[in-house]
């Protein structure tokens, strides 16, 4: 068994981010912190166009860089706005008791070395496991033909389809991963030193 043409996966993507944040003292005992962060992660692509993406809608593989496909196998997610809200409230109008609350949306860059991006580089048509058989009547000549391609070697066409594979695909509308976080606490001074 061999896995020929293992690609040299060299992922490329861009990341841009910016934010603003400010504190407002709404009341003598209420501080509000508001902010907004924007993050953009371009879709991943490969320096040598060795990514492919399974399209379940028509049961096909699309290959990066091929006519009609372009450099990206899934769309850009341009709405990665992450609000930040925080407050500090002193209900007793002193520093002994403070209530804190916060919320934020946080975005994450694509998983490059594992997950779907790696799988898109190590699947058909770039990598296809093959099992080769040898017999006394038909010996396998690995010294003169170490990687034989037979008449029935799958190539993805209708007459020679890939079989026994589990392709990886990402939705054309893939969204950047994100998490919403909330926090709340009450801070109480017990003694002047604690």
């Amino acid at each position: 068994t061999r896995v020929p043409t293992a690609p040299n996966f060299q992922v490329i993507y861009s990341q841009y981010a910016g934010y603003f944040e400010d504190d407002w003292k709404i009341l003598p005992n209420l501080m509000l912190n508001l902010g907004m962060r924007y993050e953009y992660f371009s879709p991943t692509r490969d320096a040598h166009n060795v990514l492919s993406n399974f399209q379940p809608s028509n049961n096909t593989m699309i290959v990066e860089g091929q006519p009609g496909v372009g450099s990206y196998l899934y769309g850009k997610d341009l709405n990665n706005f992450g609000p930040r809200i925080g407050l500090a409230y002193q209900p007793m109008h002193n520093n002994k008791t403070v209530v804190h609350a916060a919320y934020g949306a946080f975005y994450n860059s694509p998983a490059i070395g594992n997950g779907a991006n790696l799988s898109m580089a190590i699947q058909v048509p770039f990598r296809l496991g093959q099992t080769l058989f040898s017999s006394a009547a038909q010996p396998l000549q690995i010294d003169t033909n170490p990687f034989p391609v037979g008449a029935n070697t799958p190539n993805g066409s209708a007459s020679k389809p890939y079989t026994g594979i589990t392709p990886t695909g990402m939705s054309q509308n893939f969204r950047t991963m994100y998490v919403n976080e909330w926090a709340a606490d009450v801070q109480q001074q017990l003694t002047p030193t604690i």
Side-chain angles (χ1 to χ4, degrees):
T1 301
R2 68 184 173 107
V3 181
T5 64
N8 184 1
F9 180 44
Q10 295 178 1
V11 72
I12 299 170
Y13 83 101
S14 300
Q15 174 181 348
Y16 303 98
Y19 72 95
F20 67 88
E21 178 182 26
D22 205 354
D23 292 327
W24 288 275
K25 192 158 194 159
I26 306 297
L27 298 170
N29 64 334
L30 178 62
M31 177 75 74
L32 188 63
N33 176 279
L34 295 176
M36 179 67 73
R37 180 174 177 87
Y38 177 78
E39 296 187 77
Y40 170 72
F41 304 98
S42 71
T44 55
R45 62 186 185 89
D46 184 78
H48 305 289
N49 291 331
V50 294
L51 296 180
S52 61
N53 194 15
F54 178 67
Q55 301 295 294
S57 60
N58 57 8
N59 203 28
T60 61
M61 298 293 287
I62 59 172
V63 177
E64 175 185 42
Q66 297 297 310
V69 177
S71 296
Y72 301 123
L73 296 176
Y74 56 93
K76 298 176 181 178
D77 186 6
L78 301 173
N79 64 347
N80 300 336
F81 291 95
R84 308 289 200 270
I85 302 169
L87 68 87
Y89 175 59
Q90 298 169 329
M92 308 303 177
H93 296 273
N94 61 37
N95 292 335
K96 294 185 179 189
T97 304
V98 181
V99 177
H100 298 107
Y103 164 78
F106 301 88
Y107 290 87
N108 196 9
S109 64
I112 302 299
N114 56 21
N117 284 296
L118 176 62
S119 296
M120 289 166 53
I122 58 171
Q123 66 179 351
V124 296
F126 306 109
R127 185 179 278 191
L128 177 63
Q130 296 174 328
T131 301
L132 307 173
F133 298 97
S134 179
S135 67
Q138 287 186 306
L140 185 61
Q141 292 296 122
I142 61 171
D143 57 340
T144 57
N145 188 12
F147 302 108
V149 176
N152 295 321
T153 300
N155 63 10
S157 68
S159 62
K160 299 177 188 176
Y162 299 119
T163 58
I165 64 166
T166 305
T168 297
M170 293 177 71
S171 168
Q172 293 295 301
N173 300 316
F174 180 74
R175 293 219 34 217
T176 304
M177 299 168 281
Y178 70 95
V179 64
N180 291 307
E181 291 186 12
W182 291 266
D185 67 72
V186 176
Q187 181 178 337
Q188 177 64 51
Q189 180 180 359
L190 300 176
T191 69
T193 59
I194 298 179

